Amino acid sequence: MALTLPRGLGPVRLIVIFCILLSVLVFRSHYLPSPHAAKHAAKAFSSSSSNWLSAIRSPQMDDTSDVAADYHYSTRAFSKGKGLGAEIQKVEKTLKDISMDAAMEEFERSFFSPISSSSSSSSVSKATPTPSLAVKPVVKPAPEPLKPSCRDLPGADKVVVIVKTGATEAFARLPQQLLTLADCVPNFMVFSDMEQDMGDHHIYDALDEVGKEYKDNHDDFKFYNQVRQSHLTHGDVSLLGSEKGWNLDKWKNIPMLHKAYTKYPKADWFMTIDADTYLGWSNLLLMLAQMDPNKPVYSGCVYWHGPTSFAQGGTGYLLSRAAVKKFEKVRTKEKIADWEKETSTICCGDVMLGVAMKHAGVEVTGAWPMFQIDPPSKMTWTDRYWCTPAITWHHSPTYEVEALWDFEQDWLNKTSNGKKYGSVPYLYRDAFEYFAAPTIAKEKKDWDNLSGDKIFTKPVEDHVKENRDWDGKNDEEKQKMWDELSDLQKAAAGSIKKCKEACAEDTECIQWSFHPGTCQLQKTIKLGHSTDGELETTSGWMLDRINEFKKDRKDCKPKWEIPK
C-alpha cells in the first residue's frame, strides 16, 4: 500500500515543518539562557540568511548562524501566508515584548498543539527523536534550623555552661549533652584533656597552659601525652584506662574556669557540670532570676576534704561573676604555682577549686537538694525532695539524660498554656509522676527497686551477692542479724508472698524486693531498674501507702534553696 500524506501537506511543506520544529527545540535548549541572550538571537535571526536545507545535512546543529538562518528563512517563507506563517509572526512579536520563558510557553500553545493533532506530525515525531530540553533547576537556599524556645528563656545569654569530660570518655558521654543541653545554652563550652572537634562543637584542652615542670615530669601527664599520641595515630583512646584519666581530671577545674571567664568576661553566671550530669536548664534560670550576680556566690552540694569545704563537681557548682572576679584577682603566677604544686598531691579538682576560692575570700554555700547526686532511677523520693525544684542529676547514663531532656521539654510545653514559656518550675514531685508513677506496681518481675533498709538473708556460703550493706559484714555479724529476726522475717527470705507480708506488717515499709534466699524492705520510694531474668528478682510497692504520701503533699509550693 502506498503511503499518502494528508491533503494540503506536501513533501516540501512537511520538510519545512520538520526543520522549524527541530530548529526551535535546539534554539530553546542551547541559546535561550536569559532574556539578554534571547534578544541577541532574535536580532541575528532577522538579519541572517542561508540555505535552510543545510539543517538537514547537519544533525548536530552546532553553528549558531545556521540556526539563525533556518529560523529566518522559515519565517520569511510563510510570512505572506496564513496558518503556520501567521503563528510564527506572532511568536516574533511576543519575543520583543515578554520574557523568553513566557514567549516559549506562548509558542508551544500556538505552534506545537495544532501540529501534534495532525497525523503528519505524528509521523514526523516517530522518525526523528526530540532533543532533551536543558532546564536549569531553581536552587533555593536551605532554611535556617529552628532555634529552640529554651534558647531564648530570660537570662539564657548571661549564663556560661561548662561541661568537663576526658578524652577517654568523651564519645561515650558527651554526644547526649551535645544533642540536648547544647541546643538550649547560647554560651556552651566543653573542656577535656585533649583539643578536638565533635561535630559542630569544639572541645577545649583545659591543660594546655599547665606549667612545663609538671607536663614534662609528673606521672599524670605521661598519660596526657599518651592520649594525644594515640589520637594522632588514629587509635582508640577509650582503651587507655579510666583510672589514669581520673587522675588527670583533677588538673582541669581551676584552669578551665579561667578560660571560660576569658572567653565570656561579661557573663553573670558560670555553671560547671560533669558530662554524666543532667542540668535542668529552665529551673536553673528561674533560680538565677532570684539571685544577684554582683554578690560573690560559690555554691553546690557541700562536701569536706579534711579542713577544706568545697562544692562537689559531679553534682555541679555555680559561680557568680563577682566570685570569679575575686578568683581572677588572686590568680597570680605565684598563686598558680602554689595551686599546681598542691594539685600534684591532692585527690580531686573540685577540692582544688575550693582551695582557690578560699584564697579568693569566697566561701562555699549549699544548694542541695536542688543539686544532687542521683538520676531518677536511683533517686530517693522523700519528703525532703518532694516540693523542691530539681536542677542537677548526677551519675545519669546517656539514656537517662535523654529521658530527662524529654521530660523537661514536655514540661515546658505543658505549662506554657496561658503562662509565659519557662515560668513554671518542675519539682521532684513532677519528675516522680513522669518517671516512677507509670512503672511502680504491686508486683514487678525481673525488676530491682533498690530496696535495702532491711535485709533478711540466711548466711550460706553460696548466697548471691547482695551489693548492699549486708555484704560488708563478716560472718559473725551476718549470723547475729539472722538470729535476731522474727519468724515472719525469716520466712520472708523464702518466698515472694512472705516477703510481701513482711513489708505489710512493717508500718514504715513502702516497698520490697525478693530473690531466692533474700527479702529486702525499704521505707522510702525508689524506682530502680530491670534485671536479668536469671537473677529471679521481683519487686513491689505498697501503692496505698504511696498514694497516702502523695495525698498529704498534694498542694506544695516550690521550695527554692537559694544560695547566699
Side-chain angles (χ1 to χ4, degrees):
M1 180 184 294
L3 180 63
T4 60
L5 295 172
R7 185 177 179 181
L9 187 61
V12 174
R13 181 169 292 185
L14 180 61
I15 292 173
V16 170
I17 292 174
F18 164 71
C19 291
I20 292 174
L21 176 61
L22 185 59
S23 299
V24 170
L25 288 177
V26 174
F27 167 77
R28 185 178 185 185
S29 294
H30 298 284
Y31 300 101
L32 295 182
S34 66
H36 174 76
K39 291 178 181 180
H40 178 76
K43 184 178 180 180
F45 292 162
S46 63
S47 60
S48 302
S49 63
S50 180
N51 188 350
W52 60 269
L53 288 176
S54 62
I56 301 177
R57 302 189 187 99
S58 178
Q60 294 183 359
M61 302 292 291
D62 289 332
D63 193 344
T64 307
S65 62
D66 289 342
V67 177
D70 293 340
Y71 184 82
H72 173 70
Y73 184 92
S74 301
T75 53
R76 188 179 63 178
F78 291 95
S79 61
K80 296 181 179 180
K82 297 182 180 179
L84 292 176
E87 296 297 340
I88 293 173
Q89 286 179 328
K90 289 181 181 180
V91 174
E92 282 190 318
K93 184 177 185 303
T94 302
L95 288 173
K96 298 178 181 179
D97 300 332
I98 62 175
S99 68
M100 293 308 302
D101 285 341
M104 293 310 302
E105 292 178 5
E106 176 67 20
F107 183 82
E108 289 167 355
R109 284 196 300 271
S110 61
F111 178 70
F112 287 115
S113 297
I115 294 180
S116 62
S117 62
S118 68
S119 58
S120 61
S121 169
S122 179
S123 300
V124 173
S125 63
K126 288 180 181 179
T128 307
T130 303
S132 60
L133 301 180
V135 180
K136 293 184 178 180
V138 178
V139 180
K140 297 182 179 179
E144 294 184 4
L146 294 176
K147 185 168 62 173
S149 300
C150 57
R151 200 175 183 89
D152 287 330
L153 290 172
D157 60 331
K158 296 297 184 180
V159 183
V160 178
V161 173
I162 303 166
V163 178
K164 179 167 67 69
T165 189
T168 60
E169 66 172 20
F171 279 88
R173 292 182 175 181
L174 192 56
Q176 210 62 32
Q177 295 285 0
L178 302 182
L179 293 170
T180 56
L181 180 62
D183 274 350
C184 290
V185 181
N187 308 320
F188 187 83
M189 298 186 75
V190 180
F191 287 94
S192 179
D193 38 50
M194 182 176 68
E195 184 175 17
Q196 62 185 129
D197 291 318
M198 188 175 292
D200 294 332
H201 297 274
H202 185 68
I203 302 175
Y204 296 88
D205 182 357
L207 309 178
D208 58 352
E209 296 179 2
V210 172
K212 191 174 186 299
E213 173 188 355
Y214 298 99
K215 292 181 79 171
D216 289 348
N217 302 302
H218 198 281
D219 285 345
D220 292 344
F221 284 93
K222 291 179 181 178
F223 180 70
Y224 173 78
N225 294 324
Q226 183 183 2
V227 167
R228 295 162 69 85
Q229 183 60 37
S230 178
H231 180 70
L232 288 174
T233 57
H234 312 291
D236 185 355
V237 298
S238 66
L239 301 177
L240 297 181
S242 58
E243 183 178 350
K244 292 181 179 180
W246 170 255
N247 293 336
L248 190 60
D249 190 76
K250 67 184 181 182
W251 295 85
K252 299 172 188 172
N253 296 67
I254 290 178
M256 72 185 188
L257 177 61
H258 169 68
K259 288 175 179 290
Y261 177 76
T262 301
K263 184 173 177 64
Y264 298 103
K266 295 183 179 180
D268 285 347
W269 301 100
F270 296 83
M271 180 73 205
T272 299
I273 60 173
D274 281 358
D276 64 342
T277 301
Y278 183 81
L279 174 63
W281 177 240
S282 57
N283 275 3
L284 173 67
L285 294 177
L286 288 173
M287 182 187 76
L288 295 180
Q290 306 172 60
M291 299 172 62
D292 184 358
N294 295 310
K295 293 182 178 180
V297 175
Y298 163 47
S299 187
C301 286
V302 179
Y303 281 55
W304 288 83
H305 180 79
T308 303
S309 58
F310 64 97
Q312 204 265 354
T315 58
Y317 52 83
L318 175 71
L319 288 152
S320 66
R321 180 181 64 242
V324 180
K325 281 187 175 182
K326 281 179 168 287
F327 161 80
E328 287 290 319
K329 190 174 182 180
V330 300
R331 186 183 170 275
T332 62
K333 289 184 177 180
E334 294 75 19
K335 190 61 70 175
I336 292 172
D338 290 343
W339 291 339
E340 290 183 346
K341 182 178 180 180
E342 190 167 354
T343 301
S344 68
T345 61
I346 208 168
C347 70
C348 314
D350 47 10
V351 176
M352 275 309 305
L353 184 67
V355 171
M357 296 312 297
K358 279 198 173 183
H359 290 167
V362 182
E363 294 292 332
V364 65
T365 57
W368 182 88
M370 295 187 301
F371 294 15
Q372 55 86 34
I373 200 165
D374 290 319
S377 60
K378 296 181 180 180
M379 177 76 186
T380 303
W381 308 94
T382 65
D383 184 67
R384 182 65 180 85
Y385 285 88
W386 198 251
C387 297
T388 305
I391 295 181
T392 66
W393 311 72
H394 186 31
H395 290 146
S396 296
T398 55
Y399 61 87
E400 287 199 75
V401 170
E402 179 184 15
L404 283 161
W405 165 262
D406 290 341
F407 160 63
E408 183 169 1
Q409 302 313 302
D410 180 71
W411 176 262
L412 289 171
N413 292 329
K414 182 173 63 177
T415 58
S416 64
N417 295 332
K419 297 182 180 179
K420 191 175 180 180
Y421 185 83
S423 63
V424 181
Y426 63 83
L427 313 179
Y428 284 107
R429 172 196 63 185
D430 304 307
F432 173 86
E433 293 298 330
Y434 185 91
F435 289 100
T439 301
I440 61 176
K442 289 184 178 180
E443 187 174 312
K444 195 175 184 68
K445 291 185 177 180
D446 299 329
W447 191 274
D448 183 0
N449 63 12
L450 306 179
S451 296
D453 287 340
K454 296 180 179 179
I455 302 175
F456 310 144
T457 298
K458 184 176 182 178
V460 291
E461 291 183 1
D462 60 347
H463 192 275
V464 177
K465 185 174 177 62
E466 300 295 346
N467 293 319
R468 303 288 190 273
D469 182 58
W470 187 85
D471 284 311
K473 294 178 170 49
N474 59 41
D475 292 344
E476 291 76 13
E477 291 174 320
K478 292 176 181 178
Q479 187 62 50
K480 182 180 179 182
M481 289 175 61
W482 177 257
D483 293 340
E484 291 175 350
L485 297 179
S486 67
D487 290 342
L488 177 60
Q489 291 172 336
K490 289 180 179 179
S495 70
I496 294 174
K497 181 180 179 181
K498 293 297 183 181
C499 183
K500 190 186 303 184
E501 290 176 2
C503 183
E505 184 190 51
D506 187 338
T507 57
E508 289 188 327
C509 181
I510 204 165
Q511 65 181 49
W512 55 270
S513 69
F514 174 87
H515 66 79
T518 296
C519 174
Q520 300 178 103
L521 308 184
Q522 182 79 14
K523 61 182 179 181
T524 54
I525 309 170
K526 287 191 172 185
L527 177 58
H529 53 79
S530 60
T531 60
D532 191 322
E534 293 182 0
L535 298 177
E536 301 181 66
T537 302
T538 300
S539 295
W541 293 261
M542 308 299 288
L543 298 182
D544 54 341
R545 296 177 183 178
I546 292 176
N547 288 333
E548 283 296 319
F549 173 86
K550 291 166 58 178
K551 184 178 179 181
D552 292 343
R553 295 156 183 82
K554 184 176 181 180
D555 299 320
C556 61
K557 295 181 180 180
K559 296 180 180 178
W560 292 99
E561 306 285 339
I562 303 297
K564 303 297 184 182

